[in-house]
Amino acid sequence: MTGDQSLPGEEPVPEKADEAAFWETPDIYGAYPRLTEDQIARLAEHGQRRNMAPNDVLIREGERCETFFVVLSGTVAVVEDHDTPEEHVLRVHGPGRFIGELGLLYGQVAFYTAVAREPGEVLVVSMDQLRHLVTQDSTIGDIVLRACLCRRALLVGQGAGFRIIGSRYSPDTRRLREFAIRNRLPHRWIDLETDEEAEELLRRFGVGPTETPLVIWRDTTLLRNPSNAELARLIGLPSLPAGNRHGDVLIVGSGPAGLAAAVYAASEGLNTTVAEAMATGGQAGTSSRIENLLGFPSGISGAELTERAVLQADKFGARISLPLEATGLHPKDDDHYVVAFADGSEIAARAVVLAMGARYRRLQVPGIARLEGTSVHYSATLYEAQQCRTDPVAVVGGGNSAGQAVLFLAGYAPKVHLLVRGAGLEANMSRYLVDQVERHPRVEVMLHTEVTEVIGREVLEELDVVDNRTGGHRRLAVRSLFVFTGAEPHTEWLAGIIALDSRGFVLTGPEAQEACASPEVWHGRGRSIMTLEASLPGVFAVGDVRSGSVKRVASAAGEGAMAIHFVHRHLGHSAVPGTTGTSDVAGHSDVSPRIRHKESAWLA
């Protein structure tokens, strides 16, 4: 994407560096705030001043950035493909602005290069110093966090970052794209079937079409059909240190329930690890806007809610690792549980919280499989929405996720058909969403309607739909299909280990005890089974994966927090400040003063 292809509401950026020398990108959505003199003075107490000459590189694309820069004088340009014929300017910042985006806070590598365009001076603050400062000044922390979240969204929208080259028909291409999209990683997909750039890049790197998909970054790094884990390591997504495999509580899954559990467990001093198979946020992380969540009267996107929760868990010392897919669970002799993972690793913990959520059920109709990932989607994020600017789209589903997707897509597509097999929206959709969907001029609600066939060879061309009352068929000319039809738990790895209901959701409380082969195990512990406890003592299930749970973000977060109260009871102590149990590397428990592993406060 070239510099003049801007997001809605953003002014075009000059193509050449010399054109941008005295031009500063206007502030968009709070992405480029200017710090006050007092805020800069506070930062200066923890940093050092440094002169910069034209073309000095402050942050280099592909390298981990551990420094926070504030421009004091002169200008700094944020560019892609630095020092190549394809170099183009993304942003220009002047005095009072800072350099960095979400990767700065996460310790990821940079998706851009920051280079001085005019001579001047910058304030240099290490990340450790910045974290220390924001524990004392939450205003600065909130400004930095908000700006970094907005800047990541802008990078995503502009197609910055690495490139994925592969065929739309390739399952591995779809896998890599889904991983990048779900983790909100700036990237651009180059379709081997239709994009002329693909052939030129293959020639440049001397590879053939059979070796795709490829991941290319900065024209210097080439990965041939990498695993999700290899891509994660390239970008710097979080992983566990090799020797850190014991703890108090292991949380499997990082949707709202898992992240809430991580925040409360780590803030109360428990040694906390989170293992995630795909991306933080779960299904909620793909929601375009959540408007009925307590404390967010104007709504919040699933991505922003996720990023805030991840940073909050990180501030208290919770360790999050991905992609790490659980494959087995078994008890150890020393009152620990061991969870095995697909990469061959294992993690032991005194308590386990299952928070894997559930995945949208694949729509099983003729013709759909070959278009999944290209024209058929199971989430509605900015990536997908940008493909829908000129053509009608269809959404299948009657719940809140479908309603949120419809309203989001209606801001991009000229027409959105909502296909609902039931007689109305009220049964499964919140009233506020029903009202907005039914009033929107670009939305057509089609009740008693089901998809019977997906038609299109390379891209979706039409849907064959049927009225399930009359049996009458009709064709809808749409170019994208979004599916939000029920959810299935990913609990195959738990079958035969803990009690599941008939649909595979985890039983908890009295239902789990009744289904347990040895219900007397709790009597030996001098207690009864707890509300969120599964059929193994010390294993808890929260959020969408739990049988009978309310499928809402707020209830999932509440269950995650409540589970930690039960974890403390299982471990035999209370969560009173100053008295919480910890375990040493050998797994022995004791009672020791509460320890906070980090003293950062991005969210005070």
Side-chain angles (χ1 to χ4, degrees), residues 65 68 100-108 127 130-131 141 144-146 148-149 311 314 598 602:
C65 179
F68 182 76
E101 57 93 41
L102 202 61
L104 175 75
L105 308 185
Y106 283 163
Q108 296 174 2
M127 286 306 300
L130 183 64
R131 291 189 180 101
V144 172
L145 173 59
R146 287 178 180 272
C148 287
L149 288 168
L311 290 170
D314 176 76
K598 286 189 178 181
W602 293 109

Side-chain angles (χ1 to χ4, degrees), residues 21 75 117 154 157 187 229 236 264 332 414 504 506 549 565 576:
T75 57
R117 288 309 190 205
L154 291 169
H187 73 284
Y264 280 88
K332 287 182 65 177
V506 179
S549 67
H565 169 72
V576 177

Side-chain angles (χ1 to χ4, degrees), residues 128-149:
D128 286 340
Q129 292 168 325
L130 183 64
R131 291 189 180 101
H132 175 71
L133 171 62
V134 298
T135 62
Q136 306 168 38
D137 192 331
S138 60
T139 301
I140 291 179
D142 197 51
I143 290 172
V144 172
L145 173 59
R146 287 178 180 272
C148 287
L149 288 168

Side-chain angles (χ1 to χ4, degrees), residues 28 37 113 150 156 223 256 298 310 321 355 369 423 434 483-484 507-508 534:
I28 305 294
E37 291 184 3
T113 295
C150 290
V156 165
L223 299 180
S298 59
V310 168
S321 180
V434 173
V483 181
F484 301 92
L507 292 171
T508 56

Side-chain angles (χ1 to χ4, degrees), residues 295-549:
F296 296 92
S298 59
I300 186 172
S301 72
E304 182 175 354
L305 180 67
T306 297
E307 305 294 7
R308 286 177 171 273
V310 168
L311 290 170
Q312 195 172 20
D314 176 76
K315 103 175 182 179
F316 290 120
R319 297 177 300 276
I320 300 177
S321 180
L322 62 90
L324 205 55
E325 182 177 3
T327 57
L329 167 70
H330 63 270
K332 287 182 65 177
D333 294 336
D334 59 356
D335 210 27
H336 279 61
Y337 287 100
V338 172
V339 176
F341 297 93
D343 65 355
S345 63
E346 293 184 339
I347 298 177
R350 295 194 292 158
V352 175
V353 177
L354 302 173
M356 298 87 69
R359 301 174 183 177
Y360 287 115
R361 189 177 296 116
R362 255 45 181 178
L363 194 60
Q364 302 295 328
V365 296
I368 196 171
R370 67 175 177 271
L371 298 180
E372 288 182 333
T374 57
S375 299
V376 177
H377 310 283
Y378 294 87
S379 64
T381 68
L382 184 62
Y383 290 100
E384 295 89 10
Q386 287 182 324
Q387 303 175 27
C388 305
R389 294 188 181 278
T390 60
D391 301 300
V393 303
V395 175
V396 177
N400 276 10
S401 295
Q404 291 161 354
V406 163
L407 295 173
F408 177 64
L409 294 168
Y412 292 82
K415 182 78 171 181
V416 180
H417 302 275
L418 176 58
L419 313 182
V420 183
R421 68 180 180 179
L425 298 176
E426 294 81 1
N428 298 301
M429 190 179 295
S430 297
R431 184 71 244 178
Y432 82 94
L433 277 176
V434 173
D435 292 340
Q436 292 181 49
V437 167
E438 291 180 339
R439 290 198 306 261
H440 201 291
R442 294 187 182 181
V443 176
E444 178 186 2
V445 179
M446 301 175 62
L447 303 176
H448 300 287
T449 303
E450 299 181 45
V451 177
T452 58
E453 185 179 2
V454 173
I455 302 165
R457 183 172 180 81
E458 295 186 353
V459 296
L460 178 59
E461 298 173 4
E462 290 183 312
L463 295 178
D464 186 273
V465 300
V466 63
D467 186 317
N468 57 28
R469 297 167 301 178
T470 67
H473 286 254
R474 63 176 288 195
R475 293 287 181 92
L476 292 179
V478 296
R479 293 296 177 267
S480 293
L481 174 64
F482 295 83
V483 181
F484 301 92
T485 56
E488 297 175 328
H490 179 50
T491 55
E492 300 87 354
W493 59 285
L494 294 171
I497 301 172
I498 61 174
L500 308 175
D501 69 13
S502 59
R503 296 183 298 161
F505 292 91
V506 179
L507 292 171
T508 56
E511 289 182 328
Q513 187 169 14
E514 184 178 341
C516 182
S518 304
E520 66 279 358
V521 67
W522 282 275
H523 299 303
R525 294 175 175 266
R527 64 175 178 86
S528 59
I529 190 170
M530 291 180 275
T531 305
L532 299 178
E533 198 167 21
S535 57
L536 286 176
V539 177
F540 303 86
V542 295
D544 287 2
V545 78
R546 189 178 69 83
S547 179
S549 67

